[in-house]
Amino acid sequence: MPQPDVPTTDIPSELLRDELPLPEVSEIEVVRHFTRLSQLNNAIDTHFYPLGSCTMKYNPKINEAMARLDGFANIHPLQATDTVQGALALMYRLQEWLREIAGFAATSLQPAAGAQGEFAGILMIRKYHIEQGDEKRTKILVPNSAHGTNPATTTMAGLEVIEIGAGPDGEVDLAVLKAVCDEHRDTIAGMMMTIPSTLGVFEDDLLEIIETVHSVGGLMYMDGANMNALLGIAKPGEMGIDVMHYNLHKTFSTPHGGGGPGSGPVCCSEKLAPYLPGPIVTIVEPASDEHEAPLYGWQMPEKSIGRLKAFHGNFGMHVRAYAYILAYGNQLDQVARHAVLNANYLRVQLHDTYNSPYDRLCGHEFVVEGRWKDVPDVHALDISKRLIDYGIHPPTNYFPLIVPEALLIEPTETETKATLDHFVSVMKKIAEEARTNPQLLHEAPHHAPVKRVDEVRAARQLVLCCQPLPAESTSDGVSASSEPEVVA
Amino acid sequence: MGYIPHTEDDVKAMLAAIGVDSLDALFEDVPSQHRFPTLNLPEPLSELEIATTMETLSWFNLTTSHYATFLGAGAYNHYSPAIVNQLLLRGEFYSAYTPYQPEVSQGTLQATFEFQSMIAHLTGMEAANASHYDGATALAEAVTMANAIHNGKRQKVILSPTIHPQYREVVRTYHQNKPFKFSGDRSGTATLLDITDMVDENTMLVAVQYPNFLGQIEDFNELARVTKTHGALLCVVADPVALSILKPPGEFGADIVVGEGQGLGIPMSFGGPYLGFFATNSKYVRRIAGRIVGETRDLEGQRAFVMTLRPREQDIRREKATSNICTNQGLMALAACIHMAALGKHGMKRVGELCWHKAHYAADQIDALEGYSVDRSLPFFKEFVVTCPRPVNEINQSLLDDYGIIGGYDLSLDYPHRGNQMLLCVTETNPRAEIDMLVKALREIAEAS
Amino acid sequence: MAGWNFPEDLKYAKTDEWFRVEGDIVTIGISDYAQDQLSDVVFVELPEVGRQLDAGEAFGVVESVKSTSDLYTAVAGEVVEVNSALEDKPELVNESPYGEGWFIKIKASDLSALESLMDSTAYAEYCNGRE
């Protein structure tokens, strides 16, 4: 950092902090530290990552380059709209494309992640009912196979969860649903559903479920986490869904970033459009002979639930998703077709080795049980940890909760047949090891940067922050550091 | 096409293994009347075409790299060392998922632990979490936490009117169906004394900003004392860049410190992705929403990191969780962590000092201009309020059209009583020549009117 | 049957708490079955002494690394003592669920609610049925 190029002004000492307990290290040390840390990770760029419900597809490099263009990275969110027409045009088109892909009337790009998109959707449903004079509608139906975010969202929105049990096929039990709808009729605000379901299947009774909820005045929320199976295959809005969110960091390949940032745009039908979180981008002046491009501006939807975050959503993620949609365009259905092809291929290949509780055509993912009757001590967790030794990131463990020892496997469309075949052979090998040398599984991983970690110790003896070094040892500005040393 | 690697032969072989004769046949479970709709989207583009199309689009934006910028108001033009972006581009970091499998996620986990540590130290608190979506949602989660700590038995949240207006909007969006009420900021004119007087036994949380939205540094010692006396919690929304030189909120009695970490190495990107941070003291850590990384050992006794306090989270606690947050701003936290490590203690301090000196230099020059006056009633850091001789939007238009300057924020948009008041921001990225140009421009604009 | 121990002098709730009555003081903990299901207990949150509890009210939370459960009282009354040893040693719940791992003592206002709870035999059957 340079010396000041202006006359300095005294800073009153009573405002100043005594010390700043931050590390002081040379640039090369910082580079090596974080480069080494990165090497301790599994990632899509280094490993097959069949993590169910997370859609770990390849993240195209061009998207990263586009998000870093000067014209997108270096604009201030509060600049006058006539100075950011490129950004607004991009957001407007993305709103339109997302609406079109799922068959809805309108989109808001505000939500920062899927969970925030869900939250928006449920707040919209609630506000809609209030505006209709239907204040008593406070209950949201949630299948017991749902992502945990669904019931948590409902509580967070100040509403009440009614859990709907699954039938023997793992699907929403229509008879149970009808009974619940009968019992609670005019207090039902809506229902949350994941399509395809968290088990990776298209529910047989889908249209009847939607109709049942609508018949008692409830609205349908769709958790769009699994849209990778639906792109160009079916439009939720046309099937009767009233509002849904996307995960741009799943379906549209914006990277997961080791836990975020995500982006969770929410789309809805005509009647819910006035309730969208805002502001959203609108056309202020259509294109004309004088102006080849329309003039874009901000608009707060008329009865908006309000603003969900400062500024306009995770714009950098919008840029990446925009680039991704440009690459596939009107052939976006190829994504879903091949994602579903890959999942079904794995499903049949693993069929004889791992028990599938719901053995039928699947969507973009499927669930197997990570357990065998003849080796009761081997668990899904052991199989997962052993996969690490073979250079494969484990599938999602223990979700959905309704399947014992669940392994939820989602290969995505970007994996080659050779990778899938390798995965199958490894899974079969592990099944064999479970019988011949179960200890290999129990003690796995053997070839990872660390062995299994002690989660009990982490929770009982909480260490959430390293202690700053005493002032005298950091005052010389050399390399006394409060950073932990690298684990390797 | 796109990023799908299969050959036609691959597809044939896989369909045969599955026992169906076409890709279409994989979707028999989808209701037939809704199957395979038309997608009204453009034709697919090659990578080259994507690059040129999007570059062209990006030219329709005026950027802060080409225009002198004095706009802040919650998003700041700070310099980020080159190594931040370089390291962020490592696919091992950005193409990894949330570190649910600790054995193959130690990189993300340790970096997050280091981020938590730096935020805790910067704010003067005992613990911080792995991040929130942004400063505004971190504040909304602070309200949730205060409500949970008081078992829902207190009904009042006091918001200072000098908290970022959009943050206050977000807090209200989050809690629109809750029984408790927000007060303090409705008129926009309440002073710190007014706020302090409002605290009572029914108050769960008092929230203030430091430096506040107007750039000013208020003295919160008395407010902290009164808040504590009434058993309420004090939440301070802080600018981490300012904390490089200013007293940390932990020192004057904050129970929760939240804020926006964008200034720590994250580009402005038209408003996101940014970085919400959340810090508190040990006794409240089990009430924090979102992910937290803890230090532990592996089975061989090696130091290791893991996400801890997991049962608070939505995937386990479900409808009893206080928040639904799962995906956060992980990569942005990594950016901030690398940024702070790269600048180091001295670099961070230097940035804070540069902001202070340059903002005060600018304020002195502008205050001396005919027709302009700077609010000097309180000390300020990098932003300050200027009363102008004409409406702010007119001045900004002229600054942009005639001088190539992106001017300050029009405060009358959020505070009707602040007509003609502009919030100007000066950081280490504004060289003296730019400041002098701004002063000259403001003088000429006043003279022309 | 995993060899759980259910002392005969206690009453058991469906939510897996046990109740020991001594005069009008009722001690509450969780059963051997419950601690086994939870696995390693890492944290217990207990109410303040003096708090009035209704029958059926949740009074605390017990947490392991993989799950968390609310704790309920079947009897109404005032909390007269809490087991503060659990703050530093939550593992006592696993090691001694009926002894040092107890949670709270209540001065009960009405003991009749206890009559509807299970005895050790009925509770053992109930636990086996859930396996």
Side-chain angles (χ1 to χ4, degrees), chain A residues 178-197:
Chain A
K178 284 185 167 161
V180 169
C181 284
D182 248 14
E183 188 191 337
H184 298 279
R185 295 200 77 80
D186 56 0
T187 61
I188 291 175
M191 177 168 183
M192 301 181 86
M193 261 194 98
T194 307
I195 306 172
S197 78

Side-chain angles (χ1 to χ4, degrees), chain B residues 367-385:
Chain B
D367 203 21
L369 293 177
E370 190 72 32
Y372 295 87
S373 70
V374 170
D375 182 349
R376 292 176 172 281
S377 56
L378 286 167
F380 57 87
F381 174 61
K382 66 184 175 194
E383 291 179 279
F384 55 92
V385 177

Side-chain angles (χ1 to χ4, degrees), chain C residues 36-110:
Chain C
D36 187 37
Q37 291 292 308
L38 275 167
S39 76
D40 299 300
V41 171
V42 296
F43 178 67
V44 180
E45 185 182 306
L46 296 175
E48 283 168 22
V49 170
R51 183 167 151 197
Q52 286 293 334
L53 295 172
D54 295 331
E57 191 174 344
F59 66 81
V61 173
V62 56
E63 206 176 285
S64 70
V65 290
K66 63 177 188 188
S67 73
T68 176
S69 300
D70 288 320
L71 300 166
Y72 297 94
T73 172
V75 287
E78 181 189 338
V79 180
V80 290
E81 199 180 337
V82 301
N83 186 0
S84 53
L86 298 181
E87 258 174 53
D88 292 329
K89 295 192 78 181
E91 57 270 30
L92 290 174
V93 177
N94 298 112
E95 290 164 5
S96 174
Y98 304 108
E100 289 178 81
W102 63 278
F103 293 148
I104 59 170
K105 294 184 195 238
I106 288 181
K107 187 176 169 64
S109 43
D110 177 12

Side-chain angles (χ1 to χ4, degrees), chain A residues 1-2 5 8-9 11 15-17 20-21 23-24 27 33-35 37-38 41-45 49 51 54 56 59-61 68 70-76 79 83-84 86-87 100 115-116 119 126 146 148-149 153 155-157 207 233 235 238 255-261 305 307-312 314-316 326-331 334 337 342 360 385 388 397 413-415 449 451-452 454 457 459 463-466 468 474 484-485 487, chain B residues 1 3-6 14 24 27 29 33-38 40-45 57 60-66 71-72 75 83 85 90-98 101 103-105 107-108 110 113-114 116-117 121-122 134 137 166 169-170 173-174 176-178 243 245-247 268-270 272-273 286 292 294-300 303 306 308 314 318-319 324 326 328-331 344-346 350 356-358 360-361 400 432:
Chain A
M1 280 294 149
D5 59 356
T8 60
T9 311
I11 310 176
L15 298 180
L16 290 175
R17 65 188 298 154
L20 183 63
E24 189 70 46
E27 183 159 323
H33 175 70
F34 287 103
T35 302
L37 283 188
S38 77
N41 276 358
N42 272 16
I44 300 172
D45 280 5
Y49 216 120
L51 193 64
C54 301
M56 298 299 281
N59 305 136
K61 303 300 170 189
R68 286 165 171 81
D70 178 53
F72 294 135
N74 298 316
I75 45 178
H76 191 289
Q79 275 177 235
T83 69
V84 287
E100 163 67 17
Q116 214 190 21
F119 184 48
R126 174 64 181 153
T149 46
T153 295
T155 307
M156 196 176 156
L207 297 179
I233 303 302
K235 295 184 174 180
E238 292 181 357
H256 285 73
I305 56 163
R307 178 182 273 292
L308 276 170
K309 65 189 292 298
F311 312 121
H312 328 301
N314 282 342
F315 177 73
L326 282 181
Y328 285 100
N330 54 20
Q331 294 177 39
Q334 294 301 325
R337 286 166 181 271
N342 283 1
R360 50 180 279 189
K385 299 302 183 193
I388 291 172
N397 301 168
E413 74 283 3
T414 57
E415 297 299 332
K451 302 288 184 211
R452 286 195 201 185
D454 188 345
R457 176 189 165 122
V463 181
L464 305 178
C465 159
C466 54
T474 55
E485 71 274 18
V487 176
Chain B
M1 74 157 306
Y3 309 100
I4 300 166
H6 296 334
M14 292 166 78
D24 279 5
F27 298 95
D29 293 343
Q33 70 270 40
H34 296 297
R35 216 182 294 160
F36 309 135
T38 314
N40 184 15
L41 295 173
E43 292 296 319
L45 298 185
L57 195 56
F60 289 87
N61 301 321
L62 306 190
T63 70
T64 56
S65 41
H66 292 105
L71 182 57
I83 75 167
N85 186 46
R90 289 195 71 90
E92 298 93 327
F93 280 133
Y94 82 73
S95 74
Y97 196 71
T98 301
Q101 298 287 341
E103 299 86 353
V104 286
S105 312
T108 295
Q110 183 173 334
F113 182 82
E114 291 173 4
Q116 291 173 182
S117 300
H121 297 160
L122 199 57
D134 69 0
T137 65
Q166 295 194 358
E169 279 182 58
V170 169
T173 302
Y174 263 62
Q176 57 191 278
N177 297 328
K178 305 286 169 60
L243 295 185
I245 57 169
L246 300 183
K247 253 193 203 349
M268 288 194 287
S269 287
F270 204 41
R286 287 173 192 278
I292 303 179
E295 184 185 321
T296 183
R297 294 281 180 268
D298 75 359
L299 295 184
E300 289 182 348
R303 187 175 187 225
V306 68
T308 192
Q314 47 77 30
R318 299 179 76 85
E319 72 272 14
N324 69 355
C326 32
N328 51 33
Q329 303 289 111
L331 197 69
K345 174 173 40 178
H346 292 92
R350 175 55 66 82
W356 177 282
H357 294 313
K358 284 167 180 274
H360 284 76
Y361 171 73
L400 187 69
R432 180 176 183 160

Side-chain angles (χ1 to χ4, degrees), chain A residues 104-215:
Chain A
F104 285 104
T107 307
S108 169
L109 300 177
Q110 271 252 324
Q116 214 190 21
E118 278 182 36
F119 184 48
I122 297 304
L123 288 179
M124 287 163 66
I125 287 176
R126 174 64 181 153
K127 193 157 186 200
Y128 171 83
H129 289 309
I130 292 175
E131 290 280 327
Q132 307 299 308
D134 247 353
E135 293 241 5
K136 58 187 179 305
R137 292 192 180 271
T138 55
K139 292 169 186 160
I140 299 283
L141 314 180
V142 181
N144 61 356
S145 61
H147 296 116
T149 46
N150 292 184
T153 295
T154 303
T155 307
M156 196 176 156
L159 303 181
E160 188 188 330
V161 176
I162 299 182
E163 198 173 82
I164 304 292
D169 53 0
E171 301 189 8
V172 170
D173 189 324
L174 195 58
V176 171
L177 178 70
K178 284 185 167 161
V180 169
C181 284
D182 248 14
E183 188 191 337
H184 298 279
R185 295 200 77 80
D186 56 0
T187 61
I188 291 175
M191 177 168 183
M192 301 181 86
M193 261 194 98
T194 307
I195 306 172
S197 78
T198 57
L199 298 167
V201 300
F202 295 100
E203 308 244 352
D204 290 325
D205 301 327
L206 181 61
L207 297 179
E208 262 193 286
I209 292 170
I210 296 171
E211 204 185 296
T212 304
V213 173
H214 281 165
S215 73

Side-chain angles (χ1 to χ4, degrees), chain A residues 368-388:
Chain A
V368 299
E369 290 178 3
R371 63 169 182 179
W372 298 280
K373 285 209 176 82
D374 56 325
V375 273
D377 282 349
V378 172
H379 297 280
L381 188 72
D382 301 314
I383 297 164
S384 289
K385 299 302 183 193
R386 185 61 179 151
L387 273 169
I388 291 172

Side-chain angles (χ1 to χ4, degrees), chain B residues 146-202:
Chain B
N147 188 42
I149 287 170
H150 288 104
N151 292 314
K153 288 184 176 144
R154 294 189 176 206
Q155 304 302 322
K156 193 157 121 187
V157 177
I158 300 175
L159 299 176
S160 160
T162 56
I163 293 175
H164 196 300
Q166 295 194 358
Y167 288 27
R168 290 183 277 121
E169 279 182 58
V170 169
V171 170
R172 285 186 166 86
T173 302
Y174 263 62
H175 299 288
Q176 57 191 278
N177 297 328
K178 305 286 169 60
F180 50 80
K181 297 277 180 282
F182 294 93
S183 52
D185 66 329
R186 284 287 182 193
S187 70
T189 58
T191 64
L192 184 57
L193 273 178
D194 298 333
I195 296 292
T196 309
D197 281 346
M198 291 175 68
V199 185
D200 60 16
E201 303 295 319
N202 195 28

